[in-house]
Amino acid sequence: MAAPMLRWGCPGTRWALAGIGGGFRHRRGASIGSTPNPTREQSTVAQKPLHTAQKLRKGEHKWAAVVGLEIHAQISSNSKLFSGSQVCFAAPPNSLVSFFDASLPGTLPVLNRRCVEAAVMTGLALNCHINKKSSFDRKHYFYADLPAGYQITQQRLPIAANGSLAYSVCVGKKRGQLVSKRVRIKQIQLEQDSGKSLHDDLRAQTLIDLNRAGVGLLEVVLEPDLSCGEEAAAVVRELQLILQALGTSQANMAEGQLRVDANISVHHPGEPLGIRTEVKNLNSIRFLAKAIDYEIQRQINELETGGKILNETRSFDSKLGCTVPMRDKEGKQDYRFMPEPNLPPLVLYDSTTLPAGVDSQQVINIDQIRDMLPELPSVTREQLVQQYGLLPEHSVTLLNEVGLLEFFQNVIKETRAEPKKVASWVLNTFLGYLKQQNLTVSESPVTPSALAELLDLLERKAISSSVAKQVFQELWRGQGKTAAQIVSEQKLELLQDPAALEQLCLATMEEHPQVVTVVGEGGRGSRPDTFP
């Protein structure tokens, strides 16, 4: 069967509205950016958070936790997956909706080439097998923000499968040892996003915004190879860095461009897996780790006290720090999967199977995309270790904190200080101030140039280490003064001239003759500890 027609929608290209667009996979729960409806999605019973400390809890040594993730990344594209509607965050409600997005009769999907290329590139970066032939399916279910009553997805034959993702976690008492791990990737599939349901509790009504309906998503399904919130957070952060390096997704969790569903269960080692719960729509790495750790301990406590784990969907209440029930999943829902009749199979090619004389705009060449792969985060970390002699855990921190690597490299360019010393200041002093005041790198009052100048003063031994920290504190106050001006005004320079040091000592002795006399007598009598 011939390949489906592809519509070019790469970044930088603008498209007029066309009659085309989408639905959503069954992702119920609080819509990103909306207020959950307590009557439908939250328990009426008050939930008390469980405090999950790092040390072993009661019965914890008897249990093993199993965690699997489904990660949904919004594809960076100017238009939607099957329509020409523009993709724009925070646009006025229902202002970016084509006839297809609204599911008007007679409208047909046209596949976005940019989204297909993004899926292939992501699959290659995640060591997946790229299926040269994949297909689209309809997944039927009813929800108000899904106008068609079904979502177009790739349930049976996804575009990529059988990959893996390497990640690192810190272990040890001081968490100074970096351990590399790997999680298997079951599949990557293209699918449509849903609209937003905005719940107005005051007026007891729900408003629908279809701007997001039909936006292209990459669903990355991981095998249940994880065991705690920390591992899950490390995996999602690594995937986020990869997507951003590829340019296939901005992966901004605050804007709902990266959302995670976590499947969690506990069991006794050596016994069958326990009943799992699903925590939906986690849009923060920190909340993801907290939600998983809470849910693991909640299930252990429930089983330890003779309770039963329900196969249910839950959400994470970030204010209470706990998960709350949304709906049960005891009765398996029939999504009535069927082949999408309006889309033929998606056929991809490589250099060996590419037909002669074919229009390159109508096909996807896997090898061509492979040649376009940029430097991935793992390679960047290795280069940091080799080029600057940094510890592996320091290279991880530089990449994990948004904007920190660029800040570090800009300081390196402008200072004569050794890279290790620069890394120490950036990771300890600079990052410490950011964390203390809950700021991002872009919000820092200290620029790379200002820190470079301070390190140069320290390198020339014009100031001491303690004075350098004092000057940094002054720079952080953002009064517009340079490090050199602060040192000069407050007379913080180290005296290098022996004659000047001698004069200073003589002047001090002349000002305190009584102390000099006591010291000269060998300490007889009462000797003060300090000068008056």
Side-chain angles (χ1 to χ4, degrees):
M1 186 177 291
M5 182 173 65
L6 299 175
R7 175 171 48 78
W8 183 259
C10 61
T13 305
R14 295 182 63 87
W15 288 86
L17 286 178
I20 324 181
F24 179 54
R25 182 183 174 88
H26 196 58
R27 292 272 173 270
R28 297 287 60 87
S31 299
I32 301 301
S34 65
T35 303
N37 185 344
T39 61
R40 181 172 58 87
E41 298 176 346
Q42 294 186 5
S43 169
T44 56
V45 180
Q47 301 288 325
K48 292 185 179 180
L50 296 177
H51 299 287
T52 54
Q54 291 298 322
K55 54 187 178 182
L56 285 175
R57 307 167 187 83
K58 176 184 176 183
E60 191 174 37
H61 63 283
K62 302 178 184 178
W63 300 93
V66 177
V67 179
L69 302 180
E70 297 176 9
I71 305 168
H72 307 88
Q74 180 179 311
I75 299 172
S76 291
S77 173
N78 283 347
S79 53
K80 297 183 181 181
L81 182 57
F82 296 117
S83 82
S85 296
Q86 185 181 359
V87 176
C88 181
F89 178 73
N94 296 308
S95 62
L96 304 175
V97 186
S98 71
F99 294 147
F100 183 82
D101 301 333
S103 193
L104 269 64
T107 56
L108 296 173
V110 180
L111 184 57
N112 185 332
R113 179 191 182 96
R114 160 63 184 168
C115 293
V116 177
E117 290 179 331
V120 173
M121 181 172 284
T122 302
L124 291 172
L126 297 177
N127 309 300
C128 290
H129 169 73
I130 306 299
N131 290 319
K132 292 182 181 178
K133 183 177 181 180
S134 59
S135 60
F136 291 94
D137 306 289
R138 288 186 181 183
K139 179 181 179 181
H140 294 83
Y141 63 94
F142 172 77
Y143 205 70
D145 56 25
L146 189 68
Y150 60 84
Q151 174 201 26
I152 300 179
T153 183
Q154 291 189 307
Q155 177 70 16
R156 297 172 303 152
L157 191 56
I159 194 167
N162 301 326
S164 64
L165 173 61
Y167 66 99
S168 301
V169 291
C170 294
V171 298
K173 291 183 178 180
K174 296 184 178 180
R175 305 186 63 76
Q177 182 183 356
L178 200 64
V179 175
S180 296
K181 297 187 176 184
R182 188 173 292 272
V183 60
R184 293 171 297 156
I185 296 173
K186 180 180 180 181
Q187 65 187 53
I188 299 175
Q189 59 196 51
L190 282 165
E191 62 184 28
Q192 300 167 302
D193 207 342
S194 69
K196 282 185 180 180
S197 296
L198 307 172
H199 305 297
D200 186 347
D201 297 332
L202 186 62
R203 297 179 176 84
Q205 63 182 6
T206 297
L207 305 177
I208 303 297
D209 179 9
L210 294 180
N211 280 348
R212 200 177 65 183
V215 170
L217 289 180
L218 292 174
E219 179 174 4
V220 182
V221 182
L222 306 183
E223 297 286 2
D225 296 338
L226 310 176
S227 60
C228 65
E230 182 183 15
E231 289 184 354
V235 166
V236 173
R237 179 55 180 148
E238 184 68 14
L239 178 61
Q240 187 180 41
L241 290 172
I242 291 173
L243 294 173
Q244 291 169 345
L246 297 174
T248 54
S249 174
Q250 295 179 20
N252 186 335
M253 300 190 80
E255 295 183 1
Q257 295 169 351
L258 191 70
R259 310 192 293 274
V260 185
D261 300 336
N263 293 282
I264 305 156
S265 68
V266 297
H267 67 285
H268 292 293
E271 296 184 1
L273 298 181
I275 296 174
R276 70 182 182 182
T277 59
E278 184 178 24
V279 183
K280 303 283 284 186
N281 290 330
L282 295 161
N283 62 350
S284 159
I285 291 178
R286 184 164 58 93
F287 291 161
L288 169 67
K290 287 186 175 182
I292 290 174
D293 288 339
Y294 174 89
E295 184 60 20
I296 290 172
Q297 188 58 34
R298 184 193 71 83
Q299 292 187 19
I300 291 174
N301 290 348
E302 187 76 21
L303 294 172
E304 287 282 337
T305 55
K308 179 182 178 183
I309 303 301
L310 300 178
N311 183 13
E312 62 183 353
T313 300
R314 302 175 71 89
S315 65
F316 181 67
D317 189 318
S318 58
K319 294 181 180 179
L320 294 177
C322 64
T323 62
V324 294
M326 289 170 55
R327 62 182 179 276
D328 70 80
K329 300 173 70 174
E330 294 298 335
K332 184 174 177 61
Q333 184 168 357
D334 181 11
Y335 292 116
R336 295 177 291 127
F337 283 103
M338 60 170 282
E340 169 53 58
N342 294 322
L343 286 170
L346 173 60
V347 178
L348 308 178
Y349 300 91
D350 58 22
S351 299
T352 60
T353 59
L354 186 66
V358 70
D359 184 358
S360 61
Q361 294 298 312
Q362 293 298 316
V363 297
I364 299 293
N365 187 332
I366 299 172
D367 291 332
Q368 189 177 44
I369 295 176
R370 182 181 283 108
D371 293 338
M372 296 167 56
L373 286 175
E375 179 179 288
L376 296 178
S378 58
V379 178
T380 303
R381 284 191 288 267
E382 290 177 6
Q383 290 181 350
L384 288 172
V385 172
Q386 295 174 1
Q387 183 176 356
Y388 300 122
L390 304 182
L391 294 174
E393 53 266 30
H394 290 170
S395 68
V396 169
T397 305
L398 284 174
L399 259 73
N400 281 358
E401 299 293 332
V402 178
L404 194 61
L405 176 59
E406 182 180 2
F407 186 95
F408 167 77
Q409 291 174 330
N410 287 336
V411 176
I412 288 286
K413 293 176 184 177
E414 300 186 42
T415 183
R416 292 191 294 271
E418 294 182 354
K420 287 185 178 180
K421 183 176 289 186
V422 175
S424 176
W425 272 83
V426 169
L427 295 175
N428 296 323
T429 306
F430 178 73
L431 188 58
Y433 273 75
L434 290 177
K435 297 287 188 183
Q436 187 177 15
Q437 299 190 22
N438 196 26
L439 297 176
T440 63
V441 174
S442 61
E443 296 170 334
S444 166
V446 177
T447 64
S449 298
L451 181 56
E453 181 186 8
L454 175 61
L455 294 178
D456 280 340
L457 292 174
L458 190 59
E459 188 71 14
R460 297 199 311 264
K461 297 183 179 179
I463 57 176
S464 65
S465 296
S466 58
V467 167
K469 292 182 179 180
Q470 181 181 341
V471 174
F472 185 88
Q473 187 174 8
E474 292 294 325
L475 289 172
W476 193 266
R477 292 174 181 171
Q479 297 177 350
K481 296 180 181 179
T482 65
Q485 287 174 336
I486 295 171
V487 169
S488 177
E489 290 177 4
Q490 299 187 18
K491 300 185 187 316
L492 299 173
E493 305 96 334
L494 285 174
L495 289 178
Q496 305 291 344
D497 185 3
L501 284 170
E502 183 178 355
Q503 289 297 324
L504 180 61
C505 291
L506 290 173
T508 303
M509 292 169 65
E510 290 174 0
E511 290 177 6
H512 307 284
Q514 183 181 359
V515 177
V516 173
T517 302
V518 172
V519 174
E521 293 175 354
R524 291 191 301 271
S526 175
R527 182 173 66 181
D529 292 330
T530 59
F531 292 118

